[in-house]
Amino acid sequence: MANSSSGMAVHDECKLKFLDLKAKRKYRFIVFKIEEKIQQVTVEKVGGPDETYEDFTASIPANECRYAVYDFDFTTDENCQKSKIYFIAWSPDSSRIRSKMLYASSKDRFKRELDGIQVELQATDPSEMSFDIIKARAL
């Protein structure tokens, strides 16, 4: 269950909510948090299907690391409706060093638990995960 390099377990709810987002489109986004005391990744917040990208970015703390998954709907140049699932590793410069190290060392293993991620984004500043960047990475 736990990863030997970081000792981080992944709560079952993380995988279940991700499946609901991917298969049932129940959520627009999920924000995950590492609970350092229990060494486990947990679900911090889910956003309903009607929530916007602004709602999503507003639910990520400015000074703390988080993982997040965002289901991005877009229309291609050929006018096709598509969606891509983004994995965002948020590690702001202002967060604690220990926290940044913990999130960095646990990221790959956690991401492997979520089968179906199509685009990965690493952000240390809100501009690095702006809507324009999300859109550009989708096409």
Side-chain angles (χ1 to χ4, degrees):
M1 189 70 164
N3 173 2
S4 58
S5 67
S6 70
M8 201 56 58
V10 176
H11 195 282
D12 287 341
E13 186 192 16
C14 296
K15 291 178 255 187
L16 295 171
K17 293 267 194 255
F18 180 74
L19 282 173
D20 282 344
L21 176 143
K22 184 176 86 168
K24 300 180 187 149
R25 302 185 63 92
K26 234 191 214 175
Y27 308 111
R28 172 66 55 204
F29 63 83
I30 308 169
V31 178
F32 302 98
K33 177 182 186 176
I34 292 178
E35 297 289 350
E36 291 185 34
K37 286 184 180 70
I38 57 172
Q39 293 289 295
Q40 191 173 61
V41 181
T42 59
V43 172
E44 183 176 54
K45 184 179 188 335
V46 292
D50 302 332
E51 295 204 44
T52 65
Y53 193 71
E54 287 71 36
D55 296 328
F56 165 64
T57 54
S59 62
I60 295 178
N63 300 316
E64 291 177 39
C65 300
R66 290 292 185 274
Y67 299 129
V69 171
Y70 185 79
D71 186 9
F72 178 59
D73 291 324
F74 62 100
T75 307
T76 64
D77 293 338
E78 295 80 41
N79 221 14
C80 293
Q81 284 296 122
K82 291 206 169 173
S83 98
K84 281 199 175 158
I85 297 175
Y86 282 72
F87 178 84
I88 298 169
W90 170 243
S91 184
D93 293 330
S94 55
S95 58
R96 296 184 354 260
I97 300 287
R98 177 173 156 62
S99 180
K100 284 193 245 195
M101 288 169 61
L102 194 57
Y103 275 81
S105 66
S106 307
K107 182 184 76 169
D108 289 338
R109 178 176 184 276
F110 178 61
K111 212 175 76 185
R112 277 199 302 274
E113 298 281 339
L114 308 178
D115 185 37
I117 303 274
Q118 292 155 302
V119 184
E120 183 185 333
L121 213 58
Q122 177 79 42
T124 57
D125 179 82
S127 67
E128 295 173 344
M129 52 182 256
S130 70
F131 187 73
D132 292 342
I133 288 175
I134 294 289
K135 202 171 160 185
R137 292 287 297 273
L139 302 172

